Amino acid sequence: MHVQVARIGKPHGIRGEVTVQVLTDAPQDRFVPGAEFIVEPASNGPLTLRGARWNKDVLLLTFAEVPDRNRAEELRGTRLFVETDELEDAEDEDEGWYEHELVGLQVRIEGRTVGTVAALQTMPVQDLLVVDTPDGEVLVPFVEEIVPEVDVEAGFVVVTPPAGLFELNRGGDDGEPESAAGGED
């Protein structure tokens, strides 16, 4: 099984070093010299890690296949994956979910289905579930207070959203967003 561990950002310097958004709880175990990564898009890899270092709060990586800044720039947005069989262990620990486990799950509010999980956005403060609804995309904070139940095997998540969260993307009858101020133009 492939598990995403990072997404490549912008180049750093002229020698092929890149910044990455870390998507793993154990970067010290994943980003060691010699580690091989499967990448998306596949045309950018595979990549073999040559070095890793922290610059303040940003992880910088160098790869054997990336000799300079020009090649590093081509990798911007590339997703790094590792092959793992650790999923069973992770499920037993009940510490969280991988994006591939959440995508496609039904989103339920008070027993009715309101949409489908389209993606998981990993953010510095909290993760967000991207939910496709008939009225558009809704970003739901992926915290226990708002998403109290995730049942991957049954294929759904339960959401208890704050008032208005799912109404934010609904437009008026003419398709334009509803105005908060009720006046004439």
Side-chain angles (χ1 to χ4, degrees), residues 97-109 113-121 127-134 136-142 146-147 149-152 155-159 166:
W97 295 269
Y98 292 107
E99 181 178 27
H100 71 272
E101 294 176 297
L102 299 169
V103 171
L105 297 181
Q106 292 180 358
V107 177
R108 297 180 182 171
I109 298 175
T113 300
V114 297
T116 305
V117 176
L120 175 67
Q121 289 185 357
D127 296 342
L128 298 171
L129 288 179
V130 179
V131 178
D132 281 340
T133 73
E137 188 177 89
V138 177
L139 300 177
V140 176
F142 194 30
I146 297 174
V147 186
E149 183 178 354
V150 176
D151 192 331
V152 174
F156 69 88
V157 298
V158 172
V159 176
F166 276 76

Side-chain angles (χ1 to χ4, degrees), residues 48-91:
T48 305
L49 189 64
R50 189 172 68 211
R53 68 182 180 95
W54 290 93
N55 182 12
K56 299 180 183 167
D57 293 333
V58 177
L59 182 60
L60 303 171
L61 302 180
T62 54
F63 299 99
E65 300 83 359
V66 183
D68 57 32
R69 184 179 182 91
N70 291 337
R71 176 67 176 119
E73 183 63 47
E74 294 171 3
L75 296 177
R76 190 183 292 234
T78 298
R79 300 185 316 161
L80 302 177
F81 294 84
V82 294
E83 182 72 33
T84 184
D85 54 348
E86 296 175 11
L87 293 179
E88 294 78 22
D89 296 337
E91 288 171 4

Side-chain angles (χ1 to χ4, degrees), residues 160-176:
T160 56
L165 180 65
F166 276 76
E167 286 74 30
L168 289 176
N169 291 331
R170 291 204 177 121
D173 293 338
D174 58 359
E176 291 296 316

